[in-house]
Amino acid sequence: MAAGPVLCVDLGNTRGKATLVEPGEEPRLLHAGGASELVAAVEHALGARAPWRVVVAAVCSPALAVEVEQALVAAFPSCAPVHPAHGLRLDVESPETVGADRLLAARGALELVGSSAIVVQVGTCVTVDAVTVPAVAEPGFRGQFLGGAIAPGPELLAEALERGGARLPRVEPDPEASALGRDTPHALQAGIGVGLRGTIRELVLEVAREAGLESAPVVLTGGARAFARAGLVSLGRAVHEDAHVVARGMAAELLRGAAS
């Protein structure tokens, strides 16, 4: 059976995303927001058209994941949701502890750039990971995941500062904040925005160095990726910014299997 549109549902810690990935076309975002409205939004966007396959990746609570999957079954009874395969060899000490979102982003980066890469996701957390394409192809594997680093994202930093300081206000993180804050709220925004930009930049440099990927391109994704953009551009290396990296990774093995 020829491959058709793959509906990729990514349930994160703070929101859900539904993206349609079709062979030969750019991914199309159908919904980004509350998980409870996700299935209704997808049905509205697709109309009478049903997806060829549905894949679900979840780092949210198990109860929410089950709720969304049941709603997807009811909406699209001809294609029960499956969990995506990443097709990567994991060169890490505890493979079972690596989050699916990191692995799927790594696989999506390979689909996007076709080469080894440093993968940066900026959302609730920041992850900076290394993925390589082996010199000799290995059956069943598209690439090799080498691991990386995890740091708090902008919202977590804002929450931590408010909780940790008795007189510190909660501020809205701003990727454009200047370093010279003229009052406490702006100083907090500086610490979050400028500090996070520097953190991500340094992690990219060190992860790339330790992985032997100093010249590899950077793939940037995630809802808060604006916090990393300026710092990565200043590195003077290729940066590919794409909102659909995880969705590309979710659909990759299904589409690859259909093409073989």
Side-chain angles (χ1 to χ4, degrees):
M1 181 179 179
V6 178
L7 175 62
C8 302
V9 177
D10 179 14
L11 300 175
N13 290 302
T14 57
R15 64 175 188 163
K17 289 180 64 177
T19 307
L20 199 68
V21 180
E22 299 191 58
E25 297 186 18
E26 279 298 296
R28 179 162 65 97
L29 181 65
L30 304 181
H31 174 79
S36 58
E37 303 92 33
L38 185 145
V39 176
V42 169
E43 288 186 290
H44 177 75
L46 293 180
R49 188 186 189 196
W52 173 64
R53 294 285 188 272
V54 177
V55 290
V56 178
V59 296
C60 61
S61 70
L64 178 59
V66 169
E67 178 186 333
V68 173
E69 288 192 23
Q70 289 176 342
L72 287 167
V73 169
F76 308 111
S78 63
C79 48
V82 298
H83 294 164
H86 50 74
L88 300 174
R89 177 176 291 283
L90 307 189
D91 186 11
V92 295
E93 292 185 0
S94 302
E96 70 281 359
T97 66
V98 182
D101 54 338
R102 296 172 66 193
L103 297 176
L104 293 169
R107 176 57 192 277
L110 294 183
E111 296 299 308
L112 182 66
V113 301
S115 69
S116 301
I118 301 299
V119 189
V120 179
Q121 293 189 86
V122 189
T124 302
C125 292
V126 172
T127 60
V128 179
D129 293 309
V131 61
T132 62
V133 177
V136 179
E138 187 175 356
F141 295 100
R142 176 67 177 85
Q144 188 169 10
F145 181 83
L146 304 183
I150 303 174
E155 292 292 340
L156 285 182
L157 288 171
E159 291 175 10
L161 287 166
E162 181 189 23
R163 287 198 309 268
R167 298 188 181 185
L168 294 180
R170 172 61 188 270
V171 297
E172 185 65 30
D174 180 5
E176 304 297 327
S178 61
L180 189 62
R182 297 285 184 174
D183 55 28
T184 297
H186 288 100
L188 290 168
Q189 288 181 320
I192 296 168
V194 180
L196 187 56
R197 184 165 70 235
T199 296
I200 294 171
R201 186 179 187 277
E202 188 66 18
L203 285 174
V204 167
L205 287 171
E206 288 301 303
V207 168
R209 182 184 63 80
E210 293 180 21
L213 297 175
E214 289 91 340
S215 61
V218 176
V219 174
L220 173 62
T221 192
R225 61 188 180 277
F227 285 86
R229 190 177 294 130
L232 295 181
V233 170
S234 71
L235 291 176
R237 60 201 296 171
V239 177
H240 301 267
E241 184 174 339
D242 186 273
H244 308 297
V245 173
V246 172
R248 293 179 193 274
M250 293 175 69
E253 283 297 294
L254 285 171
L255 296 176
R256 183 187 187 195
S260 60

